[in-house]
Amino acid sequence: MHTEIIAVGTEILLGQIINTNAAFVARRLAGMGIDVYHQTVVGDNSQRLTQAIKIAAKRNDLIILMGGLGPTKDDLTKQTVANFLKKKLIEDADAMKKIIHYYAASEKEMTANNRLQAQYIAGSVPLKNETGFAVGEYYQNDHGCDFLLLPGPPNELKPMFANFAQPLLYKKYHNNHLLFSRVLRFFGIGESLLATKIEDLIDKQSNPTIAPYAKTSEVTLRLTASAVDEYEAKQLLDETEEKICSRVGEYMYGYGDENSLVKVVVQKLLQAGLSITAAESLTAGAFQAALGDVPGVSSVFPGGFVTYANSAKSGLLDIPARIIQTNGVVSEETAKWMARKSKEKMETDIGISFTGVAGPDALEGKEAGTVWIGLAFKDRPVQAKLYHFARQRSLVRERSVLTGLDWIRRELIK
Amino acid sequence: MHTEIIAVGTEILLGQIINTNAAFVARRLAGMGIDVYHQTVVGDNSQRLTQAIKIAAKRNDLIILMGGLGPTKDDLTKQTVANFLKKKLIEDADAMKKIIHYYAASEKEMTANNRLQAQYIAGSVPLKNETGFAVGEYYQNDHGCDFLLLPGPPNELKPMFANFAQPLLYKKYHNNHLLFSRVLRFFGIGESLLATKIEDLIDKQSNPTIAPYAKTSEVTLRLTASAVDEYEAKQLLDETEEKICSRVGEYMYGYGDENSLVKVVVQKLLQAGLSITAAESLTAGAFQAALGDVPGVSSVFPGGFVTYANSAKSGLLDIPARIIQTNGVVSEETAKWMARKSKEKMETDIGISFTGVAGPDALEGKEAGTVWIGLAFKDRPVQAKLYHFARQRSLVRERSVLTGLDWIRRELIK
């Protein structure tokens, strides 16, 4: 079951818009066990579109075309596919009614090409457009490749795909087995080291498959099991997860596509009923802003301090000036004082601090990327740890925030 | 001059990530007058990648491959291209040094496959990776198609393309005329309104061309002039910019691709020698974190307050509890007090405050997206303004930060 997604639109070719539709459709197809081996983009050009369809028809069972169903001159997807299939276009009565009704109500002028949006290729199933005018269609082909045509605007494509196309595809292409995915999320271990540590599993395992993926500061593993039902899938996924965790479990912080380290930490804080504050120097509020992005955090996060200059560290946190003078602003002692004092002042259970060299220049003879994080966690002794991060300013700061979150996570599960 | 962009990565095929790289590169190429007629995505599969290269090589002068240069087993772009070209891989000494140095400094384990990242195809020009380890390369082919290989992570691809690939492409593909671009940046006006206001200019103008582009919260116009030298280009660009600014100049805050509202504001603060602080409720530190992202800001930004809970507003800022009780936390009065008190406490020239409803739930009967921003600017009367932003939590917060920055910008140029 090979599928190709073809997006039609010169504005995508020119980079004026990003092809988010392809990702949306691909993810849905993957969830249904339909393999996408190629994605293509061509402009609003009948000749090159025909060429792309010819290439795709040779290597696929299903071609999904997105875009080019609108009323303007450069919309020619369905005409081109109709030509390729040697079929005529016919009019969908319901869609036509909707268009006529709209123009009557809006007092805008209806032009001849507006009718085009209601047309579909003879022999296909027209797909209703709940949020626009152009009908989609699904053409089942006994002599070759199937075609699915979807509109370009994401707010039209998404409901049409989910509500009308997906059930039809499922019906036709799905065999006995279903696909189940589980995403494991890791922080504090690089992609290559993680991949090396579980190389044999990745190589040997075919069900579930294991796919690593790295973002700026974290790595995820997507396990995908093929099974007859959820129960069987769960067993397969549990087994593989256990093997992985026996090697790199300490770095795993959570599950799921839409998850993040800060969400996991805030959730654990809420569960434990522990409040938190921060004193931020080089991160300048980024740690607290990350907390603030999670709904519901207000019950454990009253606020905190941005102490960028030394004067603010003394003034806002009452850290004796001599502490900073003696030890330096980027030091274990200063980090500890910042964490302890922020916790005291805000009367929270946890106080965390960040002081370091964001760069590009060195500070106090310490090179960019040098960061001390301090942590006052309940009544445990106040600690501070030294880190050396990559030397790009925004990365140093992002990495500091995530490392602080991960430290708190580790303390919370102790 | 036909070009094809091929993104390599199973995670794109599966829809796990969106192919933003294609849009970035396509836009840059369009600006250089290099035509992209096809974009393709294939997975991390040597056979299908070879097939895609064969198809692309028949219809293009230049193939740009993105992704698959990393250290894991499924990274095989350069090996596949090398096979296609019947060339060997050789090691880039500088890149290798960087990798060895990194692993020595970080005390992480270096694996054999990390070396792969420093290799490039014999006969090509290696392209330096300033933000990562995998070298890129540009292969000029006397007997066929040229190849450009770029890394997949956007933070590596973008600087490599802009700083190293683009000049090489320009040199080879550009004729007598040169292209000169100027980017104008706008905040506070939507793309469609901006485009409507200068519609006739966009339609009539062919040199320079005017290309609008919208991001989440701002719009840019890229003017691109074709000219024999910089002097002629400057005249053409100046003329068009003047016409645009006579209509929408009040929304324009700066120039350039790598610019941002916060950079412009910090620069103006530094020039004027004015210091700033903030008291942030719903933004929870995001405004100050934005300031902290600009190198050199420390001389005008001592730090400030994150006052998420009411207790923090009273405790940290000494705002009388009755002010908040009487007026509500999301109110003109509270916003003004927060701005004034933060300025007083930090002894700065400017104090700005943010209080509002980030959502998803309403607060004090005010719906999500309701935001008051307060501004105490030097000895001008303290003001507060009410905004209603889109109702998505992260957008409300981002939009609040940018709106605050723009307000300060406007005060600074008064």
Side-chain angles (χ1 to χ4, degrees):
Chain A
M1 179 54 216
H2 288 206
T3 303
E4 178 154 351
I5 298 174
I6 302 180
V8 187
T10 302
E11 67 277 19
I12 303 176
L13 274 190
L14 291 174
Q16 285 162 6
I17 58 169
I18 293 169
N19 189 6
T20 55
N21 284 340
F24 172 82
V25 170
R27 204 130 62 97
R28 289 297 183 107
L29 293 172
M32 294 164 71
I34 297 180
D35 294 322
V36 176
Y37 284 135
H38 297 89
Q39 293 176 8
T40 307
V41 181
V42 283
D44 303 305
N45 174 295
S46 172
Q47 196 191 329
R48 279 191 290 275
L49 178 54
T50 303
Q51 206 55 46
I53 291 171
K54 279 183 185 163
I55 292 172
K58 275 184 207 150
R59 62 191 183 191
N60 292 282
D61 308 297
L62 168 67
I63 299 175
I64 299 179
L65 290 124
M66 315 184 297
L69 306 185
T72 66
K73 267 195 176 175
D74 57 2
D75 290 309
L76 28 77
T77 301
K78 65 185 134 196
Q79 300 88 318
T80 307
V81 176
N83 277 341
F84 177 81
L85 293 169
K86 300 191 174 62
K87 295 276 173 187
K88 281 192 181 155
L89 291 176
I90 55 180
E91 206 165 274
D92 181 78
D94 286 344
M96 197 58 233
K97 238 183 262 169
K98 187 176 170 185
I99 294 173
I100 291 169
H101 179 80
Y102 169 80
Y103 280 96
S106 73
E107 294 172 14
K108 284 186 191 168
E109 203 180 323
M110 182 172 158
T111 58
N113 51 12
N114 287 116
R115 297 190 80 91
L116 250 178
Q117 295 180 283
Q119 292 180 358
Y120 65 97
I121 297 165
S124 66
V125 182
L127 306 177
K128 192 175 169 185
N129 190 332
E130 296 176 308
T131 45
F133 295 120
V135 293
E137 53 202 293
Y138 177 48
Y139 184 87
Q140 292 198 43
N141 194 346
D142 295 335
H143 315 291
C145 208
D146 290 355
F147 283 85
L148 172 65
L149 274 63
L150 300 167
N155 69 323
E156 299 179 22
L157 175 140
K158 286 180 183 180
M160 185 185 289
F161 186 82
N163 301 336
F164 303 111
Q166 211 165 347
L168 291 173
L169 293 176
Y170 206 88
K171 203 169 151 190
K172 167 139 186 194
Y173 295 107
H174 233 289
N175 56 20
N176 209 6
H177 274 62
L178 300 173
L179 283 180
F180 297 87
S181 271
R182 182 182 297 176
V183 172
L184 314 183
R185 306 187 74 91
F186 297 84
F187 178 80
I189 183 169
E191 185 190 13
S192 56
L193 183 58
L194 178 64
T196 306
K197 284 198 186 275
I198 58 167
E199 198 174 15
D200 56 321
L201 297 179
I202 295 180
D203 286 352
K204 266 187 281 174
Q205 208 85 26
S206 66
N207 188 25
T209 56
I210 304 172
Y213 175 64
K215 279 206 229 171
T216 314
S217 293
E218 57 175 295
V219 188
T220 61
L221 291 179
R222 178 180 294 270
L223 318 185
T224 306
S226 167
V228 290
D229 60 21
E230 205 171 336
Y231 178 78
E232 192 199 15
K234 189 179 174 305
Q235 283 190 312
L236 287 164
L237 293 169
D238 283 350
E239 240 170 66
T240 303
E241 180 183 332
E242 213 169 283
K243 279 184 208 156
I244 292 169
C245 283
S246 71
R247 303 187 191 177
V248 290
E250 66 156 314
Y251 301 102
M252 187 183 145
Y253 72 81
Y255 297 95
D257 265 321
E258 300 301 316
N259 208 349
S260 69
L261 195 48
V262 69
K263 279 187 192 168
V264 167
V265 168
V266 168
Q267 198 179 15
K268 285 189 196 298
L269 289 172
L270 289 168
Q271 279 164 359
L274 294 177
S275 58
I276 185 167
T277 188
E280 303 187 57
S281 183
L282 88 154
T283 48
F287 178 86
Q288 296 171 80
L291 291 180
D293 217 14
V294 184
V297 73
S298 57
S299 62
V300 290
F301 171 54
F305 309 87
V306 178
T307 55
Y308 213 59
N310 289 356
S311 61
K313 293 180 186 74
S314 309
L316 294 180
L317 295 172
D318 290 329
I319 299 177
R322 67 172 165 79
I323 294 292
I324 300 174
Q325 278 158 19
T326 315
N327 300 284
V329 62
V330 181
S331 68
E332 180 173 2
E333 273 308 302
T334 301
K336 282 183 176 176
W337 273 85
M338 287 169 68
R340 181 168 41 224
K341 280 294 190 176
S342 66
K343 174 173 177 282
E344 273 174 31
K345 294 211 164 259
M346 296 304 288
E347 296 175 353
T348 53
D349 300 302
I350 302 168
I352 188 165
S353 71
F354 301 87
T355 179
V357 192
D361 300 325
L363 181 71
E364 297 177 350
K366 284 147 192 145
E367 65 181 10
T370 310
V371 176
W372 277 97
I373 301 181
L375 183 62
F377 191 96
K378 289 165 72 179
D379 45 12
R380 296 177 198 167
V382 179
Q383 294 182 66
K385 290 186 191 170
L386 175 64
Y387 299 91
H388 297 283
F389 297 128
R391 290 199 210 165
Q392 204 187 322
R393 188 175 174 92
S394 60
L395 282 182
V396 169
R397 300 171 75 232
E398 181 190 330
R399 191 82 192 171
S400 300
V401 167
L402 292 171
T403 303
L405 286 169
D406 193 53
W407 189 1
I408 293 167
R409 178 186 74 80
R410 286 168 184 258
E411 291 289 331
L412 283 165
I413 57 177
K414 251 185 196 169
Chain B
M1 179 53 215
H2 288 207
T3 303
E4 178 154 350
I5 298 174
I6 302 180
V8 186
T10 302
E11 65 277 20
I12 304 177
L13 275 190
L14 291 175
Q16 286 163 7
I17 58 170
I18 292 169
N19 189 6
T20 55
N21 285 339
F24 172 81
V25 170
R27 202 136 59 93
R28 290 296 184 107
L29 294 172
M32 293 165 73
I34 296 179
D35 295 322
V36 176
Y37 284 135
H38 297 88
Q39 292 177 8
T40 307
V41 181
V42 283
D44 303 305
N45 174 295
S46 173
Q47 196 191 330
R48 279 190 290 274
L49 178 54
T50 303
Q51 206 56 44
I53 291 171
K54 279 184 185 164
I55 291 172
K58 276 184 207 152
R59 61 190 183 193
N60 292 283
D61 308 296
L62 168 66
I63 299 175
I64 300 179
L65 290 125
M66 315 182 297
L69 305 185
T72 67
K73 272 205 163 170
D74 57 1
D75 290 309
L76 28 77
T77 301
K78 65 185 134 196
Q79 299 89 316
T80 307
V81 176
N83 277 341
F84 177 82
L85 293 169
K86 301 191 173 63
K87 295 277 171 185
K88 281 191 181 154
L89 291 176
I90 54 180
E91 206 166 273
D92 181 75
D94 287 344
M96 198 58 232
K97 237 183 263 169
K98 187 176 170 186
I99 294 172
I100 290 169
H101 179 80
Y102 169 80
Y103 279 95
S106 73
E107 294 172 15
K108 284 186 191 167
E109 208 177 316
M110 180 172 160
T111 58
N113 50 13
N114 287 115
R115 295 190 82 92
L116 250 178
Q117 295 180 282
Q119 293 181 358
Y120 66 98
I121 297 165
S124 66
V125 182
L127 306 178
K128 191 175 168 186
N129 189 333
E130 296 176 308
T131 44
F133 294 121
V135 293
E137 52 201 292
Y138 177 49
Y139 184 86
Q140 292 200 41
N141 194 346
D142 295 335
H143 315 292
C145 208
D146 290 355
F147 282 86
L148 173 65
L149 273 63
L150 300 168
N155 70 322
E156 299 179 21
L157 175 139
K158 286 180 184 181
M160 185 186 290
F161 186 82
N163 300 336
F164 303 112
Q166 212 166 344
L168 291 172
L169 293 177
Y170 206 90
K171 202 170 152 189
K172 166 137 189 194
Y173 295 108
H174 236 287
N175 58 20
N176 203 11
H177 272 63
L178 299 173
L179 285 179
F180 297 87
S181 272
R182 182 180 297 175
V183 172
L184 314 183
R185 307 186 73 91
F186 298 83
F187 178 81
I189 183 169
E191 186 189 15
S192 57
L193 183 57
L194 178 64
T196 306
K197 282 195 186 279
I198 59 167
E199 198 174 16
D200 55 322
L201 297 179
I202 294 180
D203 286 353
K204 267 186 280 174
Q205 209 85 22
S206 66
N207 188 25
T209 56
I210 305 172
Y213 177 66
K215 281 204 228 169
T216 314
S217 294
E218 56 175 296
V219 187
T220 60
L221 290 179
R222 178 180 295 271
L223 318 185
T224 306
S226 167
V228 291
D229 59 22
E230 203 170 339
Y231 178 79
E232 191 198 13
K234 187 179 176 306
Q235 284 191 312
L236 288 165
L237 293 168
D238 283 350
E239 240 169 66
T240 303
E241 180 184 333
E242 213 168 283
K243 280 184 209 158
I244 292 169
C245 282
S246 71
R247 303 186 192 178
V248 289
E250 67 156 314
Y251 301 101
M252 186 182 146
Y253 71 82
Y255 296 95
D257 264 321
E258 301 303 316
N259 207 349
S260 67
L261 195 48
V262 69
K263 280 187 191 167
V264 168
V265 168
V266 169
Q267 199 179 14
K268 283 190 197 299
L269 290 171
L270 289 168
Q271 280 163 359
L274 294 176
S275 59
I276 186 168
T277 188
E280 302 186 58
S281 184
L282 88 154
T283 49
F287 178 86
Q288 297 172 79
L291 292 181
D293 217 15
V294 184
V297 73
S298 57
S299 62
V300 291
F301 171 53
F305 308 87
V306 178
T307 55
Y308 213 59
N310 290 355
S311 62
K313 292 180 186 74
S314 309
L316 294 179
L317 295 171
D318 290 331
I319 299 176
R322 67 169 165 81
I323 294 292
I324 300 173
Q325 278 159 18
T326 315
N327 300 283
V329 61
V330 182
S331 67
E332 179 173 4
E333 274 309 301
T334 300
K336 283 183 174 174
W337 272 85
M338 286 170 68
R340 181 168 41 227
K341 279 294 189 178
S342 67
K343 175 173 177 284
E344 272 175 33
K345 292 212 166 260
M346 296 303 289
E347 295 175 355
T348 54
D349 301 301
I350 302 167
I352 189 166
S353 70
F354 300 86
T355 178
V357 192
D361 299 326
L363 182 70
E364 297 177 348
K366 284 148 192 144
E367 62 181 12
T370 309
V371 176
W372 277 97
I373 301 181
L375 183 61
F377 191 97
K378 290 165 72 180
D379 44 13
R380 297 177 198 168
V382 179
Q383 293 181 67
K385 290 186 190 171
L386 175 63
Y387 300 90
H388 297 282
F389 297 128
R391 293 198 207 163
Q392 204 187 324
R393 187 175 175 93
S394 60
L395 282 182
V396 170
R397 299 171 76 232
E398 180 191 330
R399 191 83 192 171
S400 300
V401 168
L402 292 171
T403 302
L405 287 168
D406 193 55
W407 189 1
I408 293 167
R409 178 186 75 81
R410 286 168 182 258
E411 291 289 331
L412 283 165
I413 58 177
K414 251 185 195 168

